[in-house]
Amino acid sequence: MNEFDRRDFLKLAGLGGVVFASGLRARVLGDGLRKDEETKAEEFYFVQLSDTHWGFDGPKVNPDAQGTLKKAVAAVNSLDTQPDFVVFTGDLTHTTDDPKARRERMAEFKEIVSKLKVKTVRFMAGEHDASLDRGEAYQEFFGDLHYSFDHKGAHFIVLDNVSDPQAIIGEAQLKWLQADLKRLKRDTPIVALTHRPLFDLYPQWDWATRDAAAVIDALMPYPNVTVFYGHIHQEHHHLTGHIAHHAAKSLMFPLPAPGSAPKRAPVPWDPAAPYKGLGFREVEAEVKKAKYEITELPVTKG
Amino acid sequence: MNRTIILLMALTAALGTATLASALKIAPATETVIRLKAKNFEFTPGEITVKKGAPVILELTSEDRAHGFNLPDFSVRTDVKPGVVSRVSFKPEKTGRFGFTCDVFCGSGHEDMSGTLVVTE
């Protein structure tokens, strides 16, 4: 697995995501563990939130549909050290056939997340946001459907596998990806951010991207690639060769494990354990080693 | 490769499969034709039963908008569009219950739009 240590990955998969010694931010803060300036510049952390489905209405699934996202924003704001940036991996809003209601939901979502202390927020679309109008409303509110950016030595690529309702990346975006990758050094740490899985996780539940193999083919020559995604409303870890894929929890409702139920219906709310199965994650990036330490966090403490 | 197979391959190349089948008096297996309607957000019927080893033709139509039909266990998928009859054929070679789903996002009930293929002995 090259720089991404396989034992650590297996440990991560086995323990449900709360893993690794979490000394990175302590080092950055300089509490006696400070490393040299070069290393400091290459270590950072970001927060991934996913599948907030703003506009969803289903009291048996989430009686606090109007409050969960706001609680998550408050939870991020309460982190001792603020992340370098926050990323939302799609399904910001719950789908609606009404273009006006879609825009209202996007405006409300944007207003709520504007309360984040961190002002660098990266968005991407989910099929609920973008599939019915091929991303028209989404782009009005959040900008491009696919793009890339660099942060402290890591290259982030946001891929759109939802604005085509057939869950296709498509030839044009694939060419853009190939051109984007071409300008990188082979050993550049690459983080792909997307909504749907870039592998056939469980096509029986539409948990796949139809032309994902072409994306993986493009990424495979690069030894340091990690994918963070959403869509399946639960933590999940998978390897395609040396490429690790990490799915995030939802902030509206959890879904069953792949194939574990007759249908992919939301897991009902448990009054004895409110917000169970919901949450967000911290990702601590050690860029030089292309290593990512994931810590899953709940919506509310206690 | 024995002489019979070589001879059959040569005949096939020369005459085409249909002509060869006719010449050898091989009756085609009976195909079961099943019509499936797609509509927000369900397939009708939602459960279909077929026999293992018997060829199946699915004829799919949409009564409202673009949908998809995906039966991954048998590598069968097609778009299902209004005004068009989409035909797919396959031969189920294993028994059990297999899920099929709409794989073209179609709205707020998309995640519920699924069905089951039952293959019996």
Side-chain angles (χ1 to χ4, degrees), chain A residues 54-239:
Chain A
W54 183 254
F56 172 81
D57 181 24
K60 290 181 180 175
V61 171
N62 187 340
D64 188 29
Q66 292 283 315
T68 306
L69 175 59
K70 293 168 188 169
K71 287 182 175 68
V73 168
V76 174
N77 284 342
S78 72
L79 293 170
D80 290 340
T81 304
Q82 287 294 292
D84 278 21
F85 60 89
V86 170
V87 59
F88 284 88
T89 44
D91 281 355
L92 316 178
T93 60
H94 197 70
T95 194
T96 167
D97 278 354
D98 180 352
K100 185 168 175 283
R102 183 177 305 131
R103 284 167 173 81
E104 285 170 359
R105 290 177 187 187
M106 288 181 178
E108 289 165 6
F109 171 88
K110 205 169 178 180
E111 169 62 22
I112 293 164
V113 304
S114 73
K115 302 289 190 277
L116 284 164
K117 285 182 188 170
V118 179
K119 293 307 170 195
T120 304
V121 182
R122 307 285 185 176
F123 298 102
M124 74 198 64
E127 77 279 7
H128 279 255
D129 305 304
S131 282
L132 292 186
D133 66 358
R134 293 192 173 260
E136 185 182 323
Y138 175 89
Q139 289 174 90
E140 290 170 19
F141 284 85
F142 304 105
D144 292 338
L145 289 157
H146 66 264
Y147 56 95
S148 63
F149 62 94
D150 296 301
H151 190 79
K152 293 184 178 175
H155 186 66
F156 289 77
I157 304 172
V158 174
L159 293 170
D160 162 28
N161 50 9
V162 297
S163 66
D164 184 322
Q166 304 210 27
I168 290 172
I169 296 270
E171 279 300 312
Q173 190 180 177
L174 194 58
K175 282 184 181 168
W176 170 84
L177 170 65
Q178 289 161 341
D180 189 67
L181 290 170
K182 202 172 180 180
R183 64 188 179 84
L184 303 177
K185 289 181 183 172
R186 273 296 157 98
D187 62 351
T188 302
I190 297 169
V191 177
L193 301 169
T194 187
H195 181 65
R196 289 171 168 271
L198 290 177
F199 63 99
D200 279 352
L201 172 54
Y202 198 62
Q204 289 86 342
W205 285 0
D206 200 21
W207 287 358
T209 299
R210 210 179 296 172
D211 54 355
V215 175
I216 294 299
D217 284 349
L219 292 169
M220 198 52 85
Y222 297 83
N224 300 315
V225 180
T226 303
V227 181
F228 292 92
Y229 69 104
H231 191 55
I232 67 166
H233 294 215
Q234 62 198 281
E235 188 190 353
H236 189 277
H237 308 280
H238 175 82
L239 279 175

